[in-house]
Amino acid sequence: MAKRERLMATIKEVAALAGVTPTTVTNVLRNRGRVGDATRERVLEVVAAQGYRPNLNARALVERRAPTLALMLGCITNPFYPEFTLQANNAARRHGRFLLVCNTDYEPDGGTRFLADVAGSLSDGILVANNGELRIDELKAIQATGTPVVISIWELPDNPPGVPCVAFDSHKAGFIAANHLLELGHRRVGALVGSAKNGIHGGRYQGFRDALRAQKVKHVLADARFCSDSFQSGFDAALDLLSARPDLTALFVSNDLPALGALNAAASLGLNVPDDLSIVSVTNIELASQSRPSLTTVAIPTAEIAEQSVELLLKLIANTPDVAPVIRTTDPVLVKRDSTAPIRKN
Amino acid sequence: MAKRERLMATIKEVAALAGVTPTTVTNVLRNRGRVGDATRERVLEVVAAQGYRPNLNARALVERRAPTLALMLGCITNPFYPEFTLQANNAARRHGRFLLVCNTDYEPDGGTRFLADVAGSLSDGILVANNGELRIDELKAIQATGTPVVISIWELPDNPPGVPCVAFDSHKAGFIAANHLLELGHRRVGALVGSAKNGIHGGRYQGFRDALRAQKVKHVLADARFCSDSFQSGFDAALDLLSARPDLTALFVSNDLPALGALNAAASLGLNVPDDLSIVSVTNIELASQSRPSLTTVAIPTAEIAEQSVELLLKLIANTPDVAPVIRTTDPVLVKRDSTAPIRKN
């Protein structure tokens, strides 16, 4: 790439024009040290006239720290992640930090190069919010170089990953969803799981099954479909399951996006939700309140997860002693909307 | 904030351990210069053993350029922007660049401080994709310091902003949408505009009105509602307009998100879309194909806009001569789906 002349003044030029030392310029711009009012005004005038802006790279080198936090996202077009990003962004800003979003969709190495290039230089801490496979070893390698890493969303009861994380009880989310259907009288309940059987939604599915088992309601694998966390995949899986098992009166879906696909599939089959079929899911993205019918779902504490992961990361950056490696959030809660109803008696 | 010890080796330590100069380490890591195979292997072994990663801040200072492109986003939870981000990200990666997403939602200064801190240090070029008010003067001030700025999405026929931009014909988008309704026989057509009357969607609305005028179909301001670019706002505005004007047989909506709200409002009023009411909009986000009924919309060339704005920015960074300040995309095209139908004869 061609070299380009910078038009921006250096701090030395600003200092010379204002008749002060570069340190004084820095003190004025960072509001520290003792600088007289007249000097301050003169410096600010030169700064404005020259269009000078402090170079963050230089500052980061001098202070041995970078000015931002990075958020690694695996799937920016899944609407959960923009909502999470907004919350994490706001938390970072409340702590005076900027959040850089690094979108790793379709990176052939799952974002490893992005991590390696960003860690410790552009950012001094990294939040990871992937919905796919996490390369825990890679995250540990970044940690080992001195850049803290926090996994933003971990699903208990999966074993803690050995990297600091914020975790919510995904088993309980599935348990609550299933109990809601049981309380409405449903006994023939199918499941759509937005991951492989033992994948990221395994805890949610296990919670669902444990609730059914506690009420001695039979659920066999033939009543479940495993798909991916997308509208289309949920649509296809629901079409398949509901065609094979027309006697089902309710569906548990492990995430809102495939549940919205399932709503659409039910309509395609001429099923009225909730009169013919109840659907409950997990997460509570904004779209869950906008679908028709609106979606009953078990809300995970997205804002709290974002806030806690930013705070955990900042504690690690500050070398705070005795930081717990797993921060547990409050429990998920049922949000009752229009996609679930009592089973019809006939 | 407490200082934190870096565990990472410096390039000097790596060089000493490998028995070479720092320049040789750099040459190995950047695949340039002449380095013998044995030396290369020795350097890479030390780099791996020490967990050394080149410091981008230092590199940026030395080369007087930053390694990334920045994308300023004003509204990350509006689903158009994640879709645009994914395309821009892919374009940047095809050109060997990383894209940092800077989310300026709720920044009290509209992202000005973010711009000032990111421009020219973390990134050597800036894409701006705000759906709100753009501070053109602020963008020009950043440009003046030597950091190129590109406005990613400009709506013709608005006058070019004086900052390089990629523009599509928003007037034509509105014109095509209106003509589709006219060809289906609709003559009593309302409009929902997702901005102020002369705001960002003014060109789309003007195109709509010009198409009606060309066919001598009357449209008065009382048949329009101005709302914001959200589902809820479209829902509220549609409810208001359709209640006031139950004789309307079709709606033009200037963006998909309020159009999805209008679909829901029509259902709330017991109107069947498209039998009782046709709805057409503009953009073609993914949700437009997932609603029920799916949404007829005039697709703007999102991927092309993303690709062109990355390429324009890279040209400006490279000081390419004679770069056109306004890149015009191909025209929008109608995507016919299930929300529009011929007017019923009775």
Side-chain angles (χ1 to χ4, degrees), chain B residues 28-61:
Chain B
V28 167
L29 291 175
R30 312 202 67 188
N31 254 323
R32 67 181 186 198
R34 293 196 176 192
V35 186
D37 283 352
T39 306
R40 174 179 305 277
E41 263 184 36
R42 202 164 63 244
V43 168
L44 288 176
E45 271 168 24
V46 173
V47 164
Q50 300 292 319
Y52 172 75
R53 283 170 299 114
N55 186 314
L56 289 195
N57 287 314
R59 184 187 289 177
L61 269 185

Side-chain angles (χ1 to χ4, degrees), chain B residues 195-257:
Chain B
S195 73
K197 183 161 183 293
N198 295 308
I200 190 170
H201 292 171
R204 304 177 186 194
Y205 182 44
Q206 188 61 50
F208 161 80
R209 282 185 295 172
D210 288 347
L212 264 56
R213 188 173 302 130
Q215 303 276 324
K216 301 194 192 328
V217 173
K218 201 178 100 178
H219 172 80
V220 294
L221 264 184
D223 302 341
R225 292 293 181 277
F226 299 89
C227 59
S228 63
D229 184 10
S230 72
F231 179 94
Q232 188 62 46
S233 182
F235 179 89
D236 295 341
L239 218 51
D240 180 47
L241 177 58
L242 295 171
S243 304
R245 292 291 315 276
D247 59 315
L248 295 177
T249 67
L251 279 187
F252 161 76
V253 191
S254 69
N255 224 7
D256 290 344
L257 214 47

Side-chain angles (χ1 to χ4, degrees), chain A residues 202-225:
Chain A
R204 304 177 186 196
Y205 183 44
Q206 187 63 49
F208 161 80
R209 282 186 297 172
D210 287 347
L212 264 56
R213 188 174 303 131
Q215 303 276 325
K216 302 194 189 333
V217 172
K218 203 178 98 176
H219 173 80
V220 294
L221 264 184
D223 302 340
R225 292 293 181 275

Side-chain angles (χ1 to χ4, degrees), chain A residues 242-314:
Chain A
L242 295 171
S243 305
R245 291 289 316 276
D247 59 318
L248 296 177
T249 66
L251 279 186
F252 162 76
V253 191
S254 68
N255 224 8
D256 289 344
L257 215 47
L260 294 167
L263 271 184
N264 211 318
S268 295
L269 292 168
L271 294 171
N272 184 299
V273 176
D275 290 345
D276 302 324
L277 182 77
S278 282
I279 297 181
V280 64
S281 79
V282 175
T283 307
N284 199 28
I285 58 176
E286 208 183 333
L287 287 172
S289 65
Q290 298 172 345
S291 63
R292 196 168 185 93
S294 58
L295 191 61
T296 297
T297 189
V298 179
I300 70 169
T302 308
E304 182 189 348
I305 292 170
E307 173 76 35
Q308 297 270 22
S309 43
V310 166
E311 285 182 4
L312 175 58
L313 185 61
L314 290 173

Side-chain angles (χ1 to χ4, degrees), chain A:
Chain A
M1 181 184 355
K3 285 280 161 77
R4 177 167 47 94
E5 286 307 306
R6 290 264 166 204
L7 303 175
M8 189 159 70
T10 67
I11 191 167
K12 279 190 191 170
E13 289 160 1
V14 169
L17 286 165
V20 298
T21 64
T23 304
T24 301
V25 174
T26 299
N27 285 345
V28 167
L29 290 177
R30 311 201 70 188
N31 254 322
R32 66 180 186 198
R34 293 191 177 198
V35 186
D37 282 354
T39 306
R40 176 180 304 277
E41 263 184 34
R42 200 163 66 243
V43 168
L44 289 176
E45 272 169 23
V46 174
V47 164
Q50 300 292 319
Y52 172 74
R53 283 171 299 114
N55 187 315
L56 288 197
N57 287 314
R59 184 185 290 178
L61 268 185
V62 171
E63 301 189 351
R64 305 196 65 144
R65 70 171 189 88
T68 67
L69 309 180
L71 170 62
M72 309 295 296
L73 277 191
C75 192
I76 200 170
T77 56
N78 178 322
F80 172 77
Y81 291 95
E83 293 180 22
F84 177 81
T85 299
L86 186 60
Q87 299 291 348
N89 185 71
N90 292 347
R93 297 300 291 126
R94 282 195 294 275
H95 291 280
R97 296 305 199 99
F98 285 116
L99 187 75
L100 298 176
V101 180
C102 305
N103 173 33
T104 62
D105 291 81
Y106 306 136
E107 291 289 324
D109 61 1
T112 296
R113 234 197 92 203
F114 209 152
L115 263 176
D117 271 7
V118 167
S121 60
L122 295 181
S123 302
D124 55 358
I126 298 174
L127 298 174
V128 179
N130 274 38
N131 76 336
E133 184 188 339
L134 279 177
R135 302 190 177 201
I136 303 289
D137 286 350
E138 183 66 29
L139 301 182
K140 288 182 179 170
I142 301 285
Q143 266 188 322
T145 66
T147 299
V149 177
V150 165
I151 297 179
S152 285
I153 310 158
W154 191 260
E155 309 221 356
L156 297 172
D158 276 6
N159 285 327
V163 172
C165 66
V166 176
F168 76 98
D169 191 339
S170 77
H171 182 276
K172 187 165 276 183
F175 197 88
I176 291 169
N179 266 338
H180 174 60
L181 296 177
L182 292 168
E183 282 165 11
L184 293 171
H186 296 282
R187 292 296 178 272
R188 293 192 305 278
V189 183
L192 298 187
V193 184
S195 73
K197 182 163 182 295
N198 296 308
I200 190 169
H201 292 171
R204 304 177 186 196
Y205 183 44
Q206 187 63 49
F208 161 80
R209 282 186 297 172
D210 287 347
L212 264 56
R213 188 174 303 131
Q215 303 276 325
K216 302 194 189 333
V217 172
K218 203 178 98 176
H219 173 80
V220 294
L221 264 184
D223 302 340
R225 292 293 181 275
F226 299 90
C227 59
S228 62
D229 185 9
S230 73
F231 179 95
Q232 187 62 46
S233 181
F235 179 89
D236 295 342
L239 217 52
D240 180 46
L241 177 59
L242 295 171
S243 305
R245 291 289 316 276
D247 59 318
L248 296 177
T249 66
L251 279 186
F252 162 76
V253 191
S254 68
N255 224 8
D256 289 344
L257 215 47
L260 294 167
L263 271 184
N264 211 318
S268 295
L269 292 168
L271 294 171
N272 184 299
V273 176
D275 290 345
D276 302 324
L277 182 77
S278 282
I279 297 181
V280 64
S281 79
V282 175
T283 307
N284 199 28
I285 58 176
E286 208 183 333
L287 287 172
S289 65
Q290 298 172 345
S291 63
R292 196 168 185 93
S294 58
L295 191 61
T296 297
T297 189
V298 179
I300 70 169
T302 308
E304 182 189 348
I305 292 170
E307 173 76 35
Q308 297 270 22
S309 43
V310 166
E311 285 182 4
L312 175 58
L313 185 61
L314 290 173
K315 280 181 187 162
L316 294 168
I317 291 170
N319 258 345
T320 310
D322 304 324
V323 175
V326 179
I327 307 289
R328 205 184 156 127
T329 69
T330 56
D331 278 340
V333 291
L334 181 74
V335 179
K336 171 76 182 82
R337 293 203 184 89
D338 298 335
S339 67
T340 50
I343 189 171
R344 287 199 296 189
K345 288 304 170 197
N346 45 4

